[in-house]
Amino acid sequence: MLTRIDHIGIACFDLDRTVEFYRATYGFEVFHTEVNEEQGVREAMLKINETSDGGASYLQLLEPTREDSAVGKWLAKNGEGVHHIAFGTADVDGDSEGIRDKGVRVLYDEPRIGSMGSRITFLHPKDCHGVLTELVTSAPPADREH
């Protein structure tokens, strides 16, 4: 069962400049940064709030590390802006299978490792009214990388 909006992914050309905009404009601070070589992105997670299920909601700012990454291609076509929305779930495996059974294309056969040690998969935007949708099971608090 999907429990919350885990994060909204925003693609940007300059991560440092975009982080500074969100810090100066809204007061959001960076909670976590990392480079995901597999996905070809450098990212910053800005925590917005805690949630009742023990998780949190974030803005995920994404800067491509290479032009041929999914985010790099998306930026070249669309420019900066909202790239995807991610919903939190306690069971990314079960929920992705249940959604697949309803005819929605799940992009990964098996969930992959995402930000802060989470497990993730994506749903095809053509099956989700034009919205790239991510499902996220957060790592246990003790296992989260800050």
Side-chain angles (χ1 to χ4, degrees):
M1 177 170 106
L2 305 180
T3 58
R4 62 189 155 80
I5 294 174
D6 184 85
H7 67 270
I8 297 171
I10 299 172
C12 61
F13 291 111
D14 184 328
L15 185 66
D16 296 327
R17 193 183 87 208
T18 307
V19 163
E20 179 55 25
F21 168 81
Y22 281 97
R23 190 203 60 71
T25 305
Y26 305 115
F28 298 152
E29 296 295 335
V30 173
F31 179 77
H32 172 81
T33 61
E34 71 180 81
V35 174
N36 185 319
E37 295 294 344
E38 179 185 0
Q39 294 180 15
V41 295
R42 186 169 77 107
E43 68 177 74
M45 297 292 272
L46 286 65
K47 185 186 267 188
I48 308 304
N49 67 325
E50 302 288 337
T51 61
S52 62
D53 68 356
S57 292
Y58 303 91
L59 287 181
Q60 179 187 44
L61 307 178
L62 300 159
E63 175 190 62
T65 59
R66 57 182 196 269
E67 291 179 12
D68 69 338
S69 70
V71 172
K73 291 175 185 176
W74 190 91
L75 267 170
K77 180 179 178 183
N78 301 293
E80 293 184 309
V82 174
H83 179 262
H84 68 275
I85 186 167
F87 295 108
T89 173
D91 183 10
V92 69
D93 298 275
D95 284 339
S96 63
E97 283 305 312
I99 290 170
R100 179 181 278 132
D101 291 345
K102 294 175 182 174
V104 175
R105 286 174 281 179
V106 178
L107 299 183
Y108 303 151
D109 290 331
E110 297 289 326
R112 296 181 181 180
I113 300 300
S115 299
M116 299 182 289
S118 63
R119 297 186 71 243
I120 64 165
T121 196
F122 286 90
L123 310 178
H124 200 292
K126 289 185 178 178
D127 297 343
C128 300
H129 299 272
V131 178
L132 179 61
T133 303
E134 183 178 4
L135 304 180
V136 178
T137 297
S138 298
D143 295 341
R144 289 184 194 148
E145 301 168 16
H146 292 284

